[in-house]
Amino acid sequence: MTAPLADPPPAPESWSQRFTLGDWNSHASVRTSHHEYLLPPDVQQQLQTRFWFPPAFLPYLAHPVIQAAGATVMHRLTANHLVHFLDYTTLLEHRIVNRAVETIVHGELPAYVPPRMKTAALQLYTDEGYHALFSDRLASQIADLHGFTERPVMPLRITRMNALIARTTESNRPLAWFLLGFVSETIIARELLEVCRETLVTSVNDMLRDHLSDEARHSRYFCEVFHYLWLTLNNRQRTFTARTLLDIIAIFFEVDEHWLRQSLRGVGVADMDVAQIVGGLTTAQANRQRAQSGVGATLHALEKAGFFALEHNRKLFAKAGLIDG
């Protein structure tokens, strides 16, 4: 007599959350945050002990010329950086990340998209629109406070990403857009986490923490979708993916040299010192070191997806200095 078949074991509870943003209605900042992202009335007093942006993240602030210039110059340079970062974020969310999300929503990728993956993508699209809104709102207030007139300046990173898409064949463009979103969302979560550990002007801190809370979920979602997509790609698409990922990672850790020169000159740093500061940040070694320290979450997602099970991919990333050979 044949024993009756046992019921299959229940799927892990975590599977029910795969390809979702969890309880989005109860956690997304666009649904729950009460912050208005307005500069506090005592902002000048706060700047006696707080910063617009963490100086530790801007190594050029340690240059002797800038240190000697005093707190006013230091605050102006961190304000310059924050406004540029927020203007970049506004463009990134609208024109890059949400374009990547559209490839999921509208079936442009070479894979079937389950309904809950599509729903989460639409929620993520909404989140990113809100991030663009509060980034622009806060950037405008800081720019007005400091009298910035020439903004927004097109960030080099956005220009580089648009150029990457332009040189990609039409058939591979949806995949390239998705990869831009994947790298962006896995990198920015780490960046925001580090920044939020610092003592910043209160409204800046509120905005960054709301952003971080959302991006932690976005990063997980993009990692899961990448894993799912990777399993469906053919050899040609996988080869394209590996090479394109390296190009994208390089873009994310390149210094915006033109903007930085303008920022430094705007506070009176002499051309000779500007050249020295920028020169030290734009070497191939400096770019590689920034990538090595900032791309960990992306590499972890690739490892988990089985990307490095292919020897060619391991060699490619080892040659770029991103993993051990």
Side-chain angles (χ1 to χ4, degrees):
M1 180 177 176
T2 304
L5 293 175
D7 291 334
E13 186 175 341
S14 61
W15 285 18
S16 66
Q17 298 299 310
R18 188 169 295 180
F19 310 135
T20 76
L21 297 185
D23 189 359
W24 182 76
N25 283 301
S26 299
H27 292 97
S29 60
V30 69
R31 303 285 291 172
T32 63
S33 179
H34 299 293
H35 294 134
E36 295 183 320
Y37 313 112
L38 299 176
L39 291 185
D42 64 341
V43 62
Q44 296 298 346
Q45 183 178 349
Q46 287 195 26
L47 286 171
Q48 294 177 18
T49 57
R50 296 171 179 260
F51 294 96
W52 289 117
F53 199 86
F57 283 73
L58 308 176
Y60 57 86
L61 296 182
H63 190 277
V65 168
I66 296 174
Q67 288 288 309
T72 299
V73 168
M74 180 82 73
H75 282 308
R76 176 59 182 245
L77 288 172
T78 57
N80 288 354
H81 185 90
L82 178 59
V83 170
H84 188 61
F85 171 75
L86 294 176
D87 285 340
Y88 156 75
T89 299
T90 301
L91 285 167
L92 178 76
E93 306 291 42
H94 272 168
R95 296 188 177 178
I96 306 298
V97 178
N98 270 353
R99 180 65 189 94
V101 172
E102 288 175 358
T103 67
I104 302 171
V105 172
H106 300 296
E108 298 177 50
L109 296 173
Y112 167 73
V113 175
R116 63 182 175 183
M117 183 188 290
K118 178 178 178 178
T119 297
L122 288 165
Q123 292 169 336
L124 197 154
Y125 192 98
T126 305
D127 287 344
E128 301 297 26
Y130 188 52
H131 297 167
L133 170 64
F134 62 49
S135 294
D136 182 72
R137 175 178 292 178
L138 198 51
S140 295
Q141 294 172 71
I142 299 168
D144 288 345
L145 181 69
H146 284 279
F148 297 169
T149 55
E150 297 181 3
R151 64 169 288 267
V153 176
M154 177 58 70
L156 175 66
R157 192 179 294 178
I158 298 293
T159 301
R160 290 276 196 259
M161 287 190 274
N162 285 332
L164 181 145
I165 293 296
R167 66 175 181 264
T168 299
T169 60
E170 194 71 34
S171 61
N172 281 329
R173 282 186 184 176
L175 181 54
W177 278 117
F178 171 79
L179 295 173
L180 283 170
F182 164 66
V183 174
S184 172
E185 295 299 273
T186 50
I187 286 176
I188 196 172
R190 159 75 184 275
E191 289 179 338
L192 289 171
L193 176 63
E194 296 296 328
V195 169
C196 286
R197 289 173 174 161
E198 303 295 325
T199 304
L200 305 176
V201 171
T202 51
S203 53
V204 175
N205 189 66
D206 291 341
M207 180 272 297
L208 291 173
R209 286 188 177 278
D210 281 350
H211 199 166
L212 171 62
S213 177
D214 289 338
E215 291 301 342
R217 289 185 292 275
H218 295 182
S219 177
R220 177 180 58 80
Y221 173 80
F222 264 94
C223 289
E224 290 174 353
V225 176
F226 176 85
H227 191 165
Y228 175 83
L229 180 62
W230 177 252
L231 297 177
T232 74
L233 299 181
N234 60 35
N235 289 338
R236 179 183 57 79
Q237 291 165 332
R238 287 186 169 193
T239 298
F240 170 80
T241 294
R243 292 174 178 170
T244 302
L245 282 171
L246 279 183
D247 289 341
I248 293 171
I249 290 169
I251 289 171
F252 271 86
F253 294 99
E254 181 180 2
V255 169
D256 194 333
E257 183 176 342
H258 177 70
W259 173 82
L260 181 55
R261 287 181 183 276
Q262 287 186 317
S263 178
L264 292 169
R265 287 171 178 153
V267 297
V269 178
D271 285 348
M272 180 178 67
D273 295 316
V274 170
Q276 183 184 57
I277 292 169
V278 174
L281 294 171
T282 54
T283 64
Q285 181 180 2
N287 290 344
R288 185 166 53 252
Q289 287 175 341
R290 282 191 298 273
Q292 289 169 342
S293 66
V295 79
T298 309
L299 296 178
H300 178 73
L302 296 178
E303 176 71 33
K304 190 173 181 179
F307 177 87
F308 291 118
L310 299 180
E311 183 180 2
H312 173 74
N313 292 348
R314 292 198 306 274
K315 289 182 177 179
L316 202 62
F317 275 62
K319 184 177 180 181
L322 296 176
I323 63 172
D324 294 333

